[in-house]
């Protein structure tokens, strides 16, 4: 796919509702911000937030700054937004970290809790880094978590239950991978590229982590604000067609210098 210009990508993100006026309603966003602030660990996505984010309004302020949701605390229902310019800014920051990984030929692990939307984004990024000389981490066999199996599909770690790739926010699959690598006396990744609890737990365990997050998943944005997660890209993580993410992936790889001979 041709690499879009920044302006063309912004237009595409808005048109496909990856950003702009997104499908996630304001009520859902605020409910998740409140649950994170109330200490519900399901919404911490593998991070350890202590009591630092116990005020829902502080969470909203971070989300307005880093994701582009509407910053008015009085806006309680209806439409909410992701700023496409913030999406592209974050893609460019992620590209810088991918470029560093390629230059150093680092070990990189890919994982997703949103295989219905983001699996091919991760797969294409893994293929580009492998072509640039990186080692794509192969996870140990026989890993389990959350009553499912943790395995790799197209170089991307996923959770499987009942022959189905599972949507999960849980950090436990990432724990299973990292603990499995340690048991096998194999080196941990230099970089994790992921989403949901996979990214949050990797960052919490001291590994460089970059990832994607929706406007109703505030934890990774907080992780970036605190420095536990290096980059969080704001986007709707499950739009009506996974092909809509192709221009975003092309822009990311182009910005990272991973589209041709290095």
């Amino acid at each position: 796919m041709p690499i879009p210009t920044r302006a063309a990508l912004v237009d595409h993100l808005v048109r496909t509702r990856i950003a702009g006026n997104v499908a996630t309603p304001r009520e859902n966003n605020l409910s998740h911000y409140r649950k994170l602030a109330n200490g519900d660990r399901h919404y911490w996505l593998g991070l350890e937030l202590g009591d630092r984010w116990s005020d829902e309004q502080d969470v909203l302020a971070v989300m307005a700054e880093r994701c582009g949701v509407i910053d008015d605390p009085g806006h309680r229902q209806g439409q909410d937004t992701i700023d496409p310019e913030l999406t592209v800014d974050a893609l460019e920051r992620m590209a810088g970290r991918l470029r560093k990984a390629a230059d150093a030929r680092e070990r990189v692990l890919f994982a997703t809790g949103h295989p219905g939307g983001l699996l091919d984004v991760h797969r294409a990024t893994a293929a580009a880094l492998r072509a640039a000389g990186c080692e794509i981490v192969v996870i140990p066999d026989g890993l389990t978590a959350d009553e499912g199996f943790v395995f790799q599909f197209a170089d991307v770690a996923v959770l499987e239950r009942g022959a189905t790739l599972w949507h999960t926010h849980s950090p436990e699959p990432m724990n299973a991978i990292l603990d499995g690598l340690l048991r096998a006396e194999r080196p941990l990744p230099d970089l994790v590229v992921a989403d949901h609890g996979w990214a949050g737990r990797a960052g919490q365990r001291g590994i460089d982590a970059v990832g994607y997050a929706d406007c109703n998943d505030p934890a990774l944005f907080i992780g970036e604000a605190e420095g536990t997660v290096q980059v969080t890209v704001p986007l709707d993580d499950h739009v009506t067609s996974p092909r809509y993410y192709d221009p975003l992936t092309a822009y990311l790889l182009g910005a990272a210098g991973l589209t041709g001979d290095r």
Side-chain angles (χ1 to χ4, degrees), residues 111-130:
T112 185
H114 231 304
L118 299 179
L119 179 63
D120 204 48
V121 177
H122 291 303
R123 179 209 57 79
T125 309
L129 283 177
R130 175 181 282 113

Side-chain angles (χ1 to χ4, degrees), residues 19-88:
N21 289 333
V22 294
T24 309
R26 179 69 165 191
E27 300 93 316
N28 184 261
N29 284 345
L30 294 181
S31 172
H32 288 199
Y33 304 169
R34 185 178 314 111
K35 289 174 180 176
L36 179 146
N38 288 340
D40 187 333
R41 285 177 171 269
H42 175 78
Y43 297 92
W44 288 14
L45 301 183
L47 295 169
E48 295 298 333
L49 302 179
D51 59 0
R52 299 185 298 279
W53 298 92
S54 57
D55 188 332
E56 177 187 346
Q57 300 310 315
D58 290 341
V59 179
L60 174 60
V62 168
M63 293 302 291
E65 176 188 12
R66 294 180 177 269
C67 183
V69 302
I70 295 167
D71 62 359
D72 178 9
H75 179 55
R76 307 301 299 178
Q77 59 184 4
Q79 183 65 57
D80 214 340
T81 57
I82 293 175
D83 185 339
E85 298 288 349
L86 293 179
T87 302
V88 181

Side-chain angles (χ1 to χ4, degrees), residues 8-251:
L9 180 59
V10 166
D11 288 345
H12 172 80
L13 296 175
V14 172
R15 186 172 62 255
T16 58
R17 301 186 75 184
I18 294 173
N21 289 333
V22 294
T24 309
R26 179 69 165 191
E27 300 93 316
N28 184 261
N29 284 345
L30 294 181
S31 172
H32 288 199
Y33 304 169
R34 185 178 314 111
K35 289 174 180 176
L36 179 146
N38 288 340
D40 187 333
R41 285 177 171 269
H42 175 78
Y43 297 92
W44 288 14
L45 301 183
L47 295 169
E48 295 298 333
L49 302 179
D51 59 0
R52 299 185 298 279
W53 298 92
S54 57
D55 188 332
E56 177 187 346
Q57 300 310 315
D58 290 341
V59 179
L60 174 60
V62 168
M63 293 302 291
E65 176 188 12
R66 294 180 177 269
C67 183
V69 302
I70 295 167
D71 62 359
D72 178 9
H75 179 55
R76 307 301 299 178
Q77 59 184 4
Q79 183 65 57
D80 214 340
T81 57
I82 293 175
D83 185 339
E85 298 288 349
L86 293 179
T87 302
V88 181
D89 287 346
L91 285 171
E92 292 174 352
R93 295 197 304 275
M94 182 183 283
R97 184 60 185 86
L98 296 179
R99 187 163 53 247
K100 177 183 174 182
D103 289 343
R105 299 193 172 186
E106 291 181 338
R107 296 181 303 277
V108 187
L109 172 66
F110 288 83
T112 185
H114 231 304
L118 299 179
L119 179 63
D120 204 48
V121 177
H122 291 303
R123 179 209 57 79
T125 309
L129 283 177
R130 175 181 282 113
C134 287
E135 175 190 344
I136 305 305
V137 174
V138 176
I139 69 172
D141 291 333
L143 299 179
T144 60
D146 297 331
E147 301 180 344
F149 296 95
V150 183
F151 71 100
Q152 276 172 307
F153 181 76
D155 285 329
V156 185
V158 292
L159 180 67
E160 182 267 344
R161 292 184 191 165
T164 300
L165 304 187
W166 206 256
H167 173 209
T168 177
H169 288 215
S170 172
E172 293 309 317
M174 181 56 70
N175 277 334
I177 292 173
L178 299 180
D179 293 343
L181 289 170
L182 291 172
R183 284 194 304 272
E185 298 184 345
R186 291 172 49 195
L188 295 179
D190 301 303
L191 173 66
V192 168
V193 183
D195 48 70
H196 287 179
W198 305 80
R201 181 49 54 90
Q204 188 64 49
R205 290 184 60 160
I207 298 170
D208 285 3
V210 299
Y212 303 91
D214 209 329
C215 55
N216 63 352
D217 291 328
L220 294 189
F221 297 99
I222 289 173
E224 185 180 12
E226 292 193 330
T228 311
V229 175
Q230 293 202 339
V231 180
T232 301
V233 177
L235 47 66
D236 187 314
D237 54 17
H238 197 135
V239 292
T240 55
S241 170
R243 293 277 67 83
Y244 289 162
Y245 297 104
D246 289 352
L248 177 152
T249 307
Y251 187 90

